[in-house]
Amino acid sequence: MKILLIGEFSAFFKNLKIGFLSLGNEVTLMAGEDSWKKIDGADISINSKLPGFFGKISRRIQYLYNVIFLSKYDVILIVNPNIGLSFISKLFSILLKSKGSKIFLSACGTDVEYLNYGLSKKFDYWPYDDCSESPTRPMNVHKNIVNIVDFIIPTFYDYAE
């Protein structure tokens, strides 16, 4: 099976790639270094030496550029999509859908749906309940990506909610 992994979360996809390879699959990992953690191992590295806003724009353009030249995949898995800017995420979503037969979103970390659900007080207990500051409600910039996925895979029981 030909698998594309997009993004990174605490070396989750780096380790998933190792597991898929050991099962005989062909795997490509397209990711940054997961911010300050500096996680290596991406086949297609999404990074920028530009500071601040220009660095963010550079990384988003790299995602678009790389997806254009990818071949077709049987499965695409995405974690914490932060493509940003609605028009870029819309274009990215269209390109991505043309590259894979099945697209899955792995829900982990502080992804948009999890934060929105928790901030609306729907959990009996939420990790941020005891914090002095509550997390900031993120912008729904990846709604275009959520709309193209075939399935969302929660990595923790809270995310299943």
Side-chain angles (χ1 to χ4, degrees):
M1 184 178 329
K2 194 170 177 184
I3 302 170
L4 173 63
L5 305 172
I6 298 177
E8 187 52 271
F9 179 76
S10 298
F12 176 48
F13 272 16
K14 177 181 180 176
N15 288 300
L16 198 56
K17 176 184 173 183
I18 293 167
F20 284 143
L21 288 171
S22 73
L23 294 171
N25 296 291
E26 181 182 332
V27 184
T28 302
L29 173 57
M30 178 170 51
E33 298 173 334
D34 197 16
S35 189
W36 58 272
K37 297 174 200 145
K38 305 296 182 222
I39 298 167
D40 63 356
D43 302 301
I44 302 170
S45 183
I46 306 294
N47 288 306
S48 176
K49 295 188 188 306
L50 298 173
F53 175 76
F54 296 108
K56 288 180 182 182
I57 295 298
S58 171
R59 286 187 294 277
R60 273 107 177 127
I61 291 170
Q62 287 178 55
Y63 273 109
L64 284 174
Y65 176 81
N66 283 295
V67 167
I68 289 169
F69 295 103
L70 289 174
S71 59
K72 206 118 163 91
Y73 286 83
D74 300 308
V75 174
I76 297 173
L77 283 87
I78 307 168
V79 65
N80 284 358
N82 188 9
I83 305 308
L85 302 176
S86 189
F87 72 93
I88 291 178
S89 105
K90 181 67 172 174
L91 181 56
F92 182 78
S93 300
I94 291 166
L95 292 169
L96 201 57
K97 194 64 178 170
S98 72
K99 302 295 179 175
S101 59
K102 291 286 182 193
I103 301 178
F104 298 88
L105 175 63
S106 181
C108 54
T110 54
D111 80 0
V112 172
E113 282 73 26
Y114 178 67
L115 287 179
N116 284 339
Y117 196 85
L119 289 169
S120 61
K121 307 288 185 201
K122 293 181 180 177
F123 287 120
D124 291 333
Y125 170 78
W126 195 42
Y128 295 101
D129 284 342
D130 298 329
C131 293
S132 58
E133 293 182 31
S134 88
T136 307
R137 184 179 300 273
M139 297 184 309
N140 282 320
V141 295
H142 79 288
K143 65 182 176 197
N144 294 315
I145 293 169
V146 171
N147 289 335
I148 65 161
V149 300
D150 296 294
F151 196 76
I152 297 176
I153 303 169
T155 57
F156 188 59
Y157 70 90
D158 278 3
Y159 303 133
E161 293 295 317

